[in-house]
């Protein structure tokens, strides 16, 4: 048999240091070594491909993502507007003294409720007492003069008839009587005024209400121009707000539809709602041309004098009744660059992302102007995990407003 000249086998002794005496020779042909390496690479690749095919067949498809859904409900809802304002007492009385004097005592507790006529400050009254004594003395002097003039008239009248005294003497006595009578009246008025000044040294409250902090100190010389404190009558209390002209027009139409009655809600600074309902008291006569707003004053009952003047407040009132409004929970809506989107789940559990136009809020719901229809199911939780065309596993959203019955008020 002819031998291939390219196939040469070289036999060489095994290295004795390996300690393998049973394999004395190793083939050293180059073409055989290349063939052997290619075969091993092909075998390993085949194993990997088979292993990959078997693993793909073993993995099940992922389950559809779970989401919660709520139906788009339709019913008549009142649309509310809110305005920021401040509270004011129905009467804010600045307490001023009528007379001048040194302040001796403060007779009220700052921040307390005072009754009408209750003393609040005491001024030094010694000067007023002296003026009263002087007025009493002057009055007694002119009363004595009047008494003497009356005696003269009584005496001269019969003597004139007897021609013992001239008519001129009687006329003079009668004139003196009238002058003395006028002097008595004048001095009586001076005495009354002096007594008033004495009474005004005790500064009292002209109204019942909450007394503020004293603005004067003991020992100050108080003049009639000084404001000593302020007393505010706060039951009922007023809330002044400035509303836009458009809101005023809507509020007027809503008031007309309710036969002249509009209820106001008061939201306090901590976010709580005041338990008593108020009413609009008056609307200012003109719209401010600079701001386009008009002043509206609301009146609220304030039992216990809880609310105080200057307090921050928000007024809320229904300005419109939206007929057949479409409502969805607020957490349904996703906003991206001013575009509002919701996920709608069809009957086959496929999701469609739709753009919607939103209106005002109603509680924790959005009023939808366009983009949805009543009865459609929208994704409440899990919208960030889905996209259009994806199949989901929906579950009903448990919420009182979202599951409210459709239609009606």
């Amino acid at each position: 048999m002819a031998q291939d000249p390219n196939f040469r086998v070289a036999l060489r002794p095994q290295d004795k240091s390996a300690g393998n005496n049973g394999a004395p020779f190793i083939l050293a042909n180059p073409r055989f070594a290349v063939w052997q390496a290619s075969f091993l690479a092909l075998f390993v690749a085949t194993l990997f491909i088979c292993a990959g095919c078997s693993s793909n067949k073993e993995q099940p498809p992922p389950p559809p993502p779970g989401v919660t859904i709520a139906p788009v409900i339709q019913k008549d809802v009142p649309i509310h507007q809110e305005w920021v304002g401040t509270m004011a007492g129905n009467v804010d009385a600045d307490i001023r003294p009528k007379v001048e004097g040194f302040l001796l005592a403060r007779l009220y507790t700052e921040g307390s409720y005072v009754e009408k006529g209750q003393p609040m400050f005491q001024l030094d009254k010694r000067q007023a007492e002296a003026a009263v004594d002087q007025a009493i003395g002057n009055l007694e002097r002119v009363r004595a003069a009047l008494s003497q003039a009356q005696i003269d008239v009584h005496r001269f009248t019969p003597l004139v008839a007897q021609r013992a005294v001239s008519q001129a003497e009687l006329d003079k006595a009668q004139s003196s009587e009238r002058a003395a009578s006028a002097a008595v009246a004048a001095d009586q008025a001076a005495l009354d005024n002096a007594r008033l000044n004495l009474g005004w040294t005790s500064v009292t409250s002209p109204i019942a209400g909450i007394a503020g902090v004293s603005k004067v100190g003991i020992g100050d010389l108080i003049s009639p121009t000084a404001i000593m404190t302020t007393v505010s009558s706060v039951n009922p209390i007023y809330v002044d707000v400035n509303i836009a002209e458009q809101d005023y027009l809507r509020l007027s139409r809503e008031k007309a539809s309710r036969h002249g009655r509009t209820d106001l809600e008061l939201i306090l600074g901590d976010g709580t709602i005041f338990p008593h309902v108020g009413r609009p008291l008056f609307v200012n006569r003109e719209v401010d041309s600079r701001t386009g707003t008009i002043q509206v004053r609301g009146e609220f009952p304030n039992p216990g004098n809880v609310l105080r003047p200057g307090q921050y407040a928000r007024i809320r009132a229904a300005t419109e009744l939206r007929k057949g409004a479409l409502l969805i929970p607020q957490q349904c809506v996703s906003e991206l660059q001013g575009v509002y989107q919701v996920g709608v789940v069809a009957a086959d559990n496929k999701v469609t992302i739709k753009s919607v136009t939103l209106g005002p809020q109603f509680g924790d719901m959005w009023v939808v102007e366009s983009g949805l229809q009543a009865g459609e199911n929208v994704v409440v939780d899990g919208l960030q995990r889905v996209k259009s065309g994806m199949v989901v596993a929906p579950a009903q959203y448990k919420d009182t407003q979202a599951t409210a019955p459709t239609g009606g008020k």
Side-chain angles (χ1 to χ4, degrees), residues 23 61 66 87-88 103 108 119 155 166 177 184-185 195 209 263 309 323 338 363-364 377 394 396 407:
M87 301 182 191
L103 179 60
Y108 78 101
R155 182 188 306 122
S166 65
E177 180 187 20
V184 167
R195 286 173 174 168
D263 293 333
K323 297 286 187 179
D364 61 351
N377 290 316
Q396 194 64 35

Side-chain angles (χ1 to χ4, degrees), residues 268-284:
L268 303 179
D270 59 355
T272 59
I273 299 178
F274 192 60
H276 301 283
V277 177
R279 65 182 182 90
L281 186 63
F282 72 84
V283 179
N284 203 357

Side-chain angles (χ1 to χ4, degrees), residues 25-268:
F25 300 100
I26 296 177
L27 296 175
N29 186 281
R31 292 184 60 186
F32 181 77
V34 172
W35 177 83
Q36 187 180 25
S38 300
F39 177 78
L40 289 176
L42 179 62
F43 180 73
V44 172
T46 304
L47 288 179
F48 275 108
I49 293 174
C50 293
C53 293
S54 61
S55 61
N56 289 337
K57 292 180 181 179
E58 292 174 359
Q59 291 182 355
V67 297
T68 58
I69 60 173
V72 179
I73 64 176
Q74 184 176 22
K75 62 181 179 179
D76 299 344
V77 295
I79 303 302
H80 291 82
Q81 292 285 114
E82 290 185 7
W83 307 279
V84 178
T86 54
M87 301 182 191
N90 61 71
V91 178
D92 295 324
D94 290 334
I95 306 301
R96 303 173 186 263
K98 185 65 173 64
V99 295
E100 186 178 86
F102 290 100
L103 179 60
L104 300 181
R106 174 171 55 83
L107 306 178
Y108 78 101
T109 302
E110 295 172 317
S112 64
Y113 182 84
V114 296
E115 299 289 346
K116 181 179 180 179
Q118 177 179 333
M120 301 185 68
F121 298 95
Q122 181 60 56
L123 302 179
D124 188 356
K125 58 183 180 180
R126 291 174 295 177
Q127 186 175 358
E129 289 174 339
V132 170
D133 294 340
Q134 182 180 6
I136 291 175
N138 294 336
L139 179 61
E140 292 300 324
R141 184 178 64 252
V142 296
R143 280 178 176 174
L146 174 61
S147 178
Q148 181 60 47
Q150 291 173 341
I151 292 173
D152 291 344
V153 171
H154 182 70
R155 182 188 306 122
F156 291 165
T157 299
L159 295 178
V160 169
Q162 299 173 6
R163 297 183 181 274
V165 175
S166 65
Q167 184 64 40
E169 290 293 331
L170 178 60
D171 293 341
K172 183 178 179 180
Q174 290 175 339
S175 297
S176 298
E177 180 187 20
R178 290 193 295 271
S181 179
V184 167
D187 285 356
Q188 180 64 54
L191 176 59
D192 293 341
N193 187 59
R195 286 173 174 168
L196 285 175
N197 289 335
L198 177 60
W200 281 328
T201 57
S202 177
V203 183
T204 61
S205 174
I207 62 171
I210 304 298
V213 176
S214 175
K215 299 178 181 179
V216 293
I218 304 300
D220 292 348
L221 178 60
I222 307 301
S223 64
T225 60
I227 298 178
M228 306 180 77
T229 188
T230 301
V231 176
S232 296
S233 178
V234 294
N235 188 19
I237 196 167
Y238 296 153
V239 180
D240 294 330
V241 296
N242 293 317
I243 69 175
E245 181 180 357
Q246 297 81 359
D247 293 340
Y248 163 68
L249 296 176
R250 285 194 292 266
L251 187 63
S252 299
R253 287 192 291 267
E254 178 64 18
K255 183 178 180 180
S257 65
R258 296 193 178 192
H259 306 288
R261 178 177 176 82
T262 299
D263 293 333
L264 300 179
E265 287 184 334
L266 179 60
I267 305 174
L268 303 179

Side-chain angles (χ1 to χ4, degrees), residues 335-402:
E335 189 268 338
L336 179 62
Q337 296 181 352
V339 178
Y340 297 94
Q341 295 180 331
V342 297
V344 179
V345 180
D348 56 358
N349 293 340
K350 285 188 177 181
V351 177
T352 302
I353 305 299
K354 292 185 177 181
S355 298
V356 294
T357 302
L358 300 178
Q361 296 182 6
F362 175 67
D364 61 351
M365 313 284 284
W366 274 113
V367 175
V368 180
E369 301 286 355
S370 63
L372 293 176
Q373 294 181 357
E376 289 184 318
N377 290 316
V378 293
V379 177
V380 180
D381 294 325
L383 180 60
Q384 67 277 7
R385 301 191 300 269
V386 300
K387 59 183 180 179
S388 291
M390 181 180 292
V391 177
V392 296
Q396 194 64 35
Y397 178 62
K398 304 297 182 182
D399 182 77
T400 54
Q401 292 198 35

